[in-house]
Structures are given as structure tokens and as C-alpha cells.
Amino acid sequence: VYGLAARADAPIAHLVARITLLTDFGTQDGYVGVMKGVIATIFPGVTIDDVSHSIEPGDLTGAGRVLARYWKRYPPGSTHVVVVDPGVGTERRAIAVEAEGRFIVAPDNGVVSRVLDLCQDASIVSLENPEFLLVTRSSTFHGRDVFAPAAAFLASGVHLCRLGPAVAQPVRIEEPASIVEAGVMVGQVVALDRFGNLLTNLAGSSVTEGSGVEVDGRTVQVVSSYQDIPPESVGAIVNSDGVVEVAARDTPAAAILNAGLGTPVRIPDPVELPDL
Amino acid sequence: VYGLAARADAPIAHLVARITLLTDFGTQDGYVGVMKGVIATIFPGVTIDDVSHSIEPGDLTGAGRVLARYWKRYPPGSTHVVVVDPGVGTERRAIAVEAEGRFIVAPDNGVVSRVLDLCQDASIVSLENPEFLLVTRSSTFHGRDVFAPAAAFLASGVHLCRLGPAVAQPVRIEEPASIVEAGVMVGQVVALDRFGNLLTNLAGSSVTEGSGVEVDGRTVQVVSSYQDIPPESVGAIVNSDGVVEVAARDTPAAAILNAGLGTPVRIPDPVELPDL
Amino acid sequence: VYGLAARADAPIAHLVARITLLTDFGTQDGYVGVMKGVIATIFPGVTIDDVSHSIEPGDLTGAGRVLARYWKRYPPGSTHVVVVDPGVGTERRAIAVEAEGRFIVAPDNGVVSRVLDLCQDASIVSLENPEFLLVTRSSTFHGRDVFAPAAAFLASGVHLCRLGPAVAQPVRIEEPASIVEAGVMVGQVVALDRFGNLLTNLAGSSVTEGSGVEVDGRTVQVVSSYQDIPPESVGAIVNSDGVVEVAARDTPAAAILNAGLGTPVRIPDPVELPDL
């Protein structure tokens, strides 16, 4: 909302375009520097924001969850690059997505599934127009040869449709959904964060403070802030994504509960049964 | 000093505003991307510099020490965001500080203590004006909902006093001071750096090359560069912050001396007794 | 190639100058923030791109290899700062290099050797003009006192020759070259990347798909993409730098082959004998 007025001034708006990077490259090998250099060569005035280069190698589901968290927090006109690409060098497509005014450039391996779930009318093209790719294309580093140039051209104002033909059926990743069985919501742990907190696929709207959540059969009380969790214990909280998270204060909740990805989490008395 | 002339040109200065980020979030969960997106939405032209996202979770003292190192190295008009916030969601205040022309936005938990020690006439306000906060406020992620928007508005020229009421008594962290006992300076290790060097709270002005420093009773000689430290040994050096640091060349000094946070360090013959 | 036209417009070009940072500092101590602040004070409008702060402490060869990967991917006018500096505080020189229109600022310890190998007509000066250094110079942090200011001044248009006298003989690091013995190319593993892939000093032009490479006597087949490597096995591939890399899909190749830096790698039937 704020600041968009400034973007109406075209020459300035051109200068303030932003590209974000999300990869599993780490930083120590310099591949991130290569991508930034390719982008800066095509579009010298662009701002490049690192989101992360420490995605677990090949973790498409995790990267997709992270992308879903920030893509729409950026203003329209922003371009998000995602390179988690175990299939680099094979026939897998490279795609660009336009969704609610933001662009996403990524391999067609399901890493944008969550964004596509959230935005039904996204436009998707396959990155095939050689005019917008590097001339030399390796079989191991499409971050440099395909995704960085495509992002730089999109950010500089090239229309999505010029990058290649439309894609009707992008690759999707199925993610576990929570279900309701006999009035009980049944979900699971779908991610761990840096602090060892357990993120679930249960909507936060189905719990209230003081109610209980069962993690692998053990009841955990819903609290309203991390500091309401007793020392050495765990608590459930509605997190900033609006989902139920099981957290602890010092020892990671994952360790206290011996829980991890896939651990079942149930809400015996859901407040409302949301349509998920 | 340099470059400030350019900032007198208002429209350009507007384009070159900088915001820095210091958090304990890690990068792998995407929260950093969310904060950058919120900032870029409010102030599209701003430059965002990462300082670190690898502060130990909840380490207020360490984050405060790091902040004290760089805040004033940035030019006036810069805005520093610090989110190390174990009390998020409780009644703890969120504050903005104006000190020597720079802005700092942080939880009111003592993380800005050191800066306030260095700058007695800082202005401090509590971030309460909803006009400059996100509408939806979670109980777990004020980096997104409070600190990022406040920083973006400050950087874009909103006056500090508009963000909320003045704070007279910000939360302070007491840090161990060095003392003088019978002519001997007595301090301790207050931090370890990436290289395993031991940072003390002893002023560098109290040692000279060739004099000795005692680490837990063991004498370490003061040298003038890291390369003057013998292999497999340790040396004391006046570091870039102007304090005594105990370092080694290959094996970390912390390991060689079996020392860590709180290990006593003494200067038997201080050159000058500084007023600390 | 692209975007260079925009740089012909001087005032805009001034705004879009970029400086990159490559260090072994880690981020947790805030030294990166200090360097960025010094740069932003001298040249408020500059864009600062992180390449990496996670170079192994003191790893000059590794840092030089990373630098060689990205320095020329950035457009002319860019300035690359490299601070891997075990000799800080000694008599080692600090240098600035101009090579194919890019600038590099670094200690004179061999970290720019590879770039100088690639660019015979580079200009090199010793950073001695105090006008372009910080007034207070520590013996431990020339990233702040020497390299950051030099980079900021170069990026803002100060001519290389103003920073100090020419350097005729910069320090060089000898790196192991591959050789040809009785028609067999003999090289070695010279680096491991984040994924545990083994990078060699063997030119990719000497292998073809289906031919074999010997890693410590064990034959590895050359494939055209990572996905052509059988599960739990290894394959050789021509990587994005154009050299032979030995990779695996899940378990790191280094672990499968029990290989590391210096492990011999041979090409029994090289396709062409390149002049290296």
C-alpha cells in the first residue's frame, strides 16, 4: 500500500526494482556472486535482496514453504528467483510465473506449488526464448545461465510472455493436508524452524488459548506468547503464518517431544472447522 | 565525512537511504525475506544491508555488542533494525532510538544498552502509533509487524516523535566492568569471535607491546599483530575496538587456554588506569 | 553486454555502482556491518552485494578460486573486495587491481593470483595514499581501515593510480596444474563444494559423455547431468566452470570415494590435450 505512489513515477520505479534470491547453494563456493553479477550486468540499477542460500540441498517442499511466506510481502513488480534444482541438466522445464503482480523464476519441479495454490490465476511460461538466456548454457548451473538472466529481464520490464510459451500444467508437489475425523482435526508436523519449533498444517483458527493440542498423543496447551510457556516445557501457539506451532523456550520442542517431520498432531476440540 | 554533501540534495538522499538488519532468525525459514518485503513495500527505493542473521537465539548481550560495533560506522540518516526478541508477544515495549543522527529500532529488552551508554542524549520512543505498524499484529513475529514498518517509515523521513510516546527509562543490561584492585586491572572474557579469539573488557590503552596479560593465571604476551604470535601459542593484542583480545593463529585461543565467557583476565602492570 | 548503454548516462551510472564483499569473517561478530557502514559513509548511493563471509578462515587458495568464478560476471565498473587476510598488521601490502574494467581490492597475499593469471594486463597499485584510507588504522581489521574505504573511493570514480604506487610483482600462489604423462592427463582434486562434489584441475574439453575418469584408481563414468548418476553412485561431469567435477546424488561424492583435496584424478584417454 505505502510507497506505491512513488512507483507511478516511471523512471524512479525503474531504479527501485528488486530481485530476491532463494537457493540451496550455500555462499562459500561463490555461485551466489555469479548470479548477482549476471543480474547486475543485464540490469545495473536493480537491488538484489538475499532471502536465503541455506535451504537444505534439494529440499523442494521446504523451499516452497519459505517462498510462500515472503513472495507477496514484496511489492508488485518484484521478482523472486528460486534455485533448488536437483534436476538441472535434464529435460525439466524452467519457468517464470506472474502472480498478483510479482514474478517468480524457478525450475518446474513443484517448488512454486504453494504459491500457485494461493493464486489461481497466475500466468506461467517456459523459459525458452534464447534472447533472454545466456548464450552458453551449462548442464549444472541454470541459476547462472537461465534463472538470473530471466529475472533481470523481467525486473527491467520485459513482458512475461516474451520469455517463452505458456505452461498449462506446471509440476505440482502434493503436501499433506489436515483432515477432520469424527470432529477431531488431524494433521502433522510439516517443518522445523531454526529454533526447533514444530510447524504444523493445522489452521490457527481452530484453537483458542487454554485449549489443548496433541503431539503424538501428548497434550500441549495453547498459549498466547512464547514467554507463557513454562521453562523446560512446551506450548502451542498460533504463529505468524496463522498456523499452529509447537514451541519451547530453551531446549528445542523437537527434542523435548522427540518429534519431527510427519509426527501426528491432533486438535481434539477444534473451535471451528475451517475449509482448508 | 565523505559523501555527506551528496545527501544535502534531498531527492537523491531519499534514494540512498539504508536500513541494516541484525537478527537471530537464521535465513533458512524465510523470515528475513518477509521483513525485507515489508520494508520494500513501504519504501521501495531503500537499500537493505544484512549485518547478521546468525546471532545466537536470544543472545541480547552479544547482539548489543555487535550493534555497538557498527551503528555509528553508518552515515547519519541510516536505520538499524535489531530483532533478538525472546519476549515477543508479551508486554515488553518496542522502541525506536535516535542517536547521533542514526536510528535504531529494537525490542526494549536491553539490546541497545551499549549504544545508550555511548550516547547520553539519545531520543527514545515507544512504537505505539498504529499508523506506522502493520494492521495485523502476530504474537510471534514483531520483526514483520512492528520493527520492519517502523524502520521503513523512519528511513523514508518520518520523524521519530510521530512513532509513539517518549520512553524515559529503557530496559538496560548490566555488563561486567573491569575494575582496579591494588594497581591491577581485573576484567574478564566477554565474548568469543568466529576465530575463537577471546575478547575482554580491558581497555587496550592499558597495555603495551611486550607487557603481559594474565588469562586465568597464565601469562600471555602483548604483541602487535596476529603474525607475531608463535605457532601453537597465544598472544594478546589491542583489537579494532580498542580492547585487549587474546588470540592464536591456528588452534583457537579459547581451546588452547581452556577459556570462555567469564574467564578472568588481569593486567598486572597497567600502563594507564583509564576511567571506564 | 546488456544494460551498458544505461551506464553511459553518468549521473545514473553513479547511482548504480556495485561493490561486492568476500571475506572469512562470518557474520556473527558484526565486522561485515562495520565494512558496509564505512563504504556507505564514503559513497552513500552504492549497492553492496554479499558474495560470502563463510570462506574458511585464512583459506587464500579457496577464496581466490571463488573470486575467479564471479569477478568478471559483474559489469565493468564493479568493485570486488576480498578480505582473507591472515597477515593483517604485518608488512604485507594492501593492493587494488584493475582488470578488464573491474576493480579488486585485497591483501597482497596471493588471493588475486587466479584473476591475474586470467588477465595479463591488469594494473596493480599499493594502497598507500592516506587520503583514501581511514585515519585510525588498527593492526587487526584492515577490512574496515583500508579495504572498505579504497573500494568505496574506486566505486565512486577515483582513479586507481591515485590510491598509491604501482606494484610490479604481486605475491602469487602456485596452484597444482594438470600434466600429461604418456598420453594420460593427470590432475587432482582442488576443491570440494557445498554438496561434497569434487572439483578437479582437469579441463572439461578433455572428456566426452561415456568416457571414464579415474579417481584414485577408481573409474568414474562421464555423464551429462547430475540426474544421470545412478543412485548411491558417482559420476563425472563438466561443470559450469568448464572443468571436470566428480559428483554424486545423495551421499557426497567425497564420502563415497573417500577422496579429498589432492586426491589424484586421471583421464586415461583425453579427447584433446588442451594447453593449460
Side-chain angles (χ1 to χ4, degrees):
Chain A
V1 173
Y2 297 101
L4 296 184
R7 298 185 62 89
D9 175 343
I12 298 296
H14 186 71
L15 281 175
V16 301
R18 296 187 102 91
I19 291 175
T20 75
L21 303 182
L22 180 71
T23 79
D24 62 356
F25 291 166
T27 65
Q28 68 268 41
D29 300 315
Y31 298 119
V32 170
V34 173
M35 288 183 63
K36 291 180 179 179
V38 169
I39 290 169
T41 298
I42 294 170
F43 186 3
V46 76
T47 295
I48 306 172
D49 286 344
D50 292 304
V51 172
S52 183
H53 304 292
S54 53
I55 295 294
E56 279 298 305
D59 181 8
L60 302 176
T61 309
R65 180 171 293 114
V66 168
L67 173 66
R69 200 168 268 145
Y70 67 83
W71 75 283
K72 225 169 89 176
R73 291 286 173 178
Y74 269 77
S78 301
T79 303
H80 303 297
V81 181
V82 184
V83 193
V84 179
D85 193 15
V88 64
T90 65
E91 293 298 308
R92 72 100 186 84
R93 285 179 298 209
I95 56 173
V97 176
E98 181 170 354
E100 305 199 19
R102 289 81 175 172
F103 302 102
I104 301 168
V105 173
D108 183 25
N109 58 15
V111 75
V112 295
S113 274
R114 280 200 161 222
V115 170
L116 298 177
D117 288 343
L118 296 166
C119 177
Q120 306 297 337
D121 62 348
S123 302
I124 311 173
V125 300
S126 177
L127 301 174
E128 297 178 17
N129 185 345
E131 194 181 342
F132 303 114
L133 305 172
L134 293 201
V135 172
T136 310
R137 225 169 316 160
S138 69
S139 65
T140 61
F141 191 12
H142 286 191
R144 177 189 73 188
D145 306 331
V146 176
F147 300 113
F153 284 112
L154 283 170
S156 69
V158 170
H159 283 274
L160 186 81
C161 58
R162 293 190 61 200
L163 300 187
V167 170
Q169 301 284 345
V171 171
R172 302 298 277 263
I173 295 174
E174 284 296 317
E175 290 196 69
S178 58
I179 57 170
V180 179
E181 286 180 343
V184 173
M185 281 195 69
V186 181
Q188 58 183 266
V189 174
V190 292
L192 276 73
D193 72 13
R194 184 196 187 198
F195 304 95
N197 297 330
L198 306 165
L199 279 58
T200 75
N201 58 354
L202 296 163
S205 54
S206 46
V207 297
T208 45
E209 198 183 329
S211 69
V213 165
E214 287 177 17
V215 180
D216 206 10
R218 180 164 162 183
T219 298
V220 174
Q221 198 171 21
V222 177
V223 296
S224 64
S225 89
Y226 291 129
Q227 297 244 333
D228 292 334
I229 301 169
E232 306 306 317
S233 184
V234 294
I237 195 165
V238 179
N239 75 7
S240 60
D241 294 331
V243 299
V244 174
E245 171 185 320
V246 179
R249 286 177 65 178
D250 302 306
T251 315
I256 293 176
L257 292 169
N258 194 25
L261 292 185
T263 297
V265 182
R266 293 155 37 100
I267 304 177
D269 296 300
V271 172
E272 72 182 73
L273 299 178
D275 16 277
L276 289 179
Chain B
V1 174
Y2 298 99
L4 296 184
R7 298 186 62 87
D9 176 343
I12 299 295
H14 186 71
L15 281 175
V16 301
R18 295 186 103 91
I19 292 174
T20 75
L21 302 183
L22 179 71
T23 78
D24 62 356
F25 291 166
T27 64
Q28 69 268 43
D29 299 315
Y31 298 120
V32 170
V34 172
M35 287 182 64
K36 291 180 177 177
V38 169
I39 290 169
T41 299
I42 294 170
F43 186 3
V46 76
T47 295
I48 306 172
D49 286 345
D50 292 304
V51 172
S52 181
H53 303 291
S54 53
I55 296 294
E56 279 298 305
D59 181 7
L60 302 176
T61 309
R65 179 171 295 112
V66 168
L67 173 66
R69 201 167 268 145
Y70 68 83
W71 74 283
K72 225 169 92 176
R73 292 286 171 179
Y74 269 78
S78 301
T79 303
H80 303 298
V81 182
V82 184
V83 193
V84 180
D85 193 14
V88 63
T90 65
E91 293 298 309
R92 72 100 187 83
R93 283 179 300 209
I95 56 174
V97 175
E98 181 170 355
E100 305 198 18
R102 288 81 174 172
F103 302 101
I104 301 169
V105 173
D108 183 25
N109 58 15
V111 76
V112 295
S113 275
R114 281 199 161 223
V115 171
L116 297 178
D117 288 344
L118 295 167
C119 177
Q120 305 298 336
D121 62 347
S123 302
I124 311 171
V125 300
S126 177
L127 301 173
E128 298 178 15
N129 186 345
E131 195 181 341
F132 303 113
L133 305 173
L134 293 202
V135 172
T136 309
R137 225 171 316 159
S138 69
S139 64
T140 60
F141 190 11
H142 286 191
R144 177 189 73 188
D145 306 331
V146 176
F147 300 114
F153 284 112
L154 282 170
S156 68
V158 170
H159 283 275
L160 187 81
C161 59
R162 292 190 61 199
L163 299 187
V167 169
Q169 301 284 344
V171 171
R172 303 298 277 264
I173 294 175
E174 284 297 317
E175 290 196 69
S178 59
I179 56 170
V180 179
E181 285 180 345
V184 173
M185 280 196 70
V186 181
Q188 57 183 267
V189 174
V190 293
L192 276 74
D193 72 13
R194 183 193 191 203
F195 305 94
N197 297 331
L198 306 165
L199 279 59
T200 75
N201 56 354
L202 296 164
S205 55
S206 46
V207 296
T208 46
E209 198 182 329
S211 69
V213 165
E214 288 177 18
V215 180
D216 207 10
R218 180 163 164 185
T219 297
V220 174
Q221 199 171 20
V222 177
V223 296
S224 65
S225 88
Y226 292 128
Q227 298 243 332
D228 292 334
I229 302 169
E232 305 306 317
S233 184
V234 292
I237 196 164
V238 178
N239 76 5
S240 60
D241 294 332
V243 299
V244 174
E245 172 184 318
V246 178
R249 286 177 63 178
D250 303 305
T251 316
I256 293 176
L257 293 169
N258 193 27
L261 291 184
T263 296
V265 183
R266 291 154 40 99
I267 305 176
D269 296 302
V271 172
E272 74 180 70
L273 298 178
D275 16 275
L276 289 179
Chain C
V1 173
Y2 297 100
L4 295 185
R7 297 186 61 88
D9 175 344
I12 299 296
H14 185 73
L15 281 176
V16 302
R18 296 185 102 91
I19 292 175
T20 74
L21 302 183
L22 179 71
T23 78
D24 63 355
F25 291 166
T27 63
Q28 68 269 42
D29 299 316
Y31 298 120
V32 170
V34 172
M35 288 182 64
K36 292 181 178 178
V38 169
I39 290 168
T41 298
I42 294 170
F43 187 2
V46 76
T47 295
I48 306 171
D49 286 344
D50 292 304
V51 172
S52 182
H53 303 291
S54 53
I55 296 295
E56 279 297 305
D59 181 8
L60 301 176
T61 309
R65 179 171 294 113
V66 168
L67 173 66
R69 201 167 268 145
Y70 67 83
W71 75 283
K72 226 170 90 176
R73 291 287 172 177
Y74 268 79
S78 302
T79 303
H80 303 298
V81 182
V82 184
V83 193
V84 179
D85 193 13
V88 63
T90 66
E91 293 298 307
R92 72 100 186 81
R93 283 180 300 210
I95 56 175
V97 176
E98 181 170 355
E100 305 199 20
R102 289 81 173 174
F103 302 102
I104 301 169
V105 173
D108 183 25
N109 57 15
V111 75
V112 295
S113 274
R114 282 201 160 221
V115 171
L116 297 177
D117 288 345
L118 295 167
C119 177
Q120 306 297 337
D121 63 348
S123 303
I124 311 172
V125 300
S126 177
L127 301 173
E128 297 178 16
N129 186 345
E131 194 181 342
F132 303 113
L133 305 173
L134 292 202
V135 173
T136 309
R137 228 171 314 159
S138 69
S139 64
T140 60
F141 190 12
H142 285 192
R144 177 189 72 188
D145 305 331
V146 175
F147 301 112
F153 284 112
L154 283 170
S156 68
V158 170
H159 283 275
L160 187 81
C161 58
R162 293 191 60 200
L163 300 187
V167 170
Q169 301 284 345
V171 171
R172 303 296 278 262
I173 294 174
E174 284 298 318
E175 290 195 68
S178 59
I179 57 172
V180 179
E181 287 180 343
V184 174
M185 281 196 68
V186 181
Q188 57 184 265
V189 174
V190 293
L192 276 74
D193 72 11
R194 184 195 188 199
F195 304 95
N197 297 330
L198 306 165
L199 279 59
T200 75
N201 57 354
L202 296 163
S205 53
S206 46
V207 297
T208 45
E209 199 181 328
S211 70
V213 165
E214 288 177 15
V215 180
D216 206 10
R218 180 164 163 183
T219 297
V220 174
Q221 199 171 20
V222 177
V223 296
S224 63
S225 88
Y226 291 129
Q227 298 243 331
D228 292 333
I229 303 169
E232 304 306 316
S233 185
V234 293
I237 194 164
V238 179
N239 76 6
S240 59
D241 294 331
V243 298
V244 174
E245 171 185 318
V246 179
R249 285 178 64 177
D250 301 306
T251 315
I256 293 176
L257 293 169
N258 194 24
L261 292 185
T263 296
V265 183
R266 292 154 39 99
I267 305 176
D269 297 301
V271 172
E272 75 182 69
L273 298 178
D275 15 277
L276 287 181

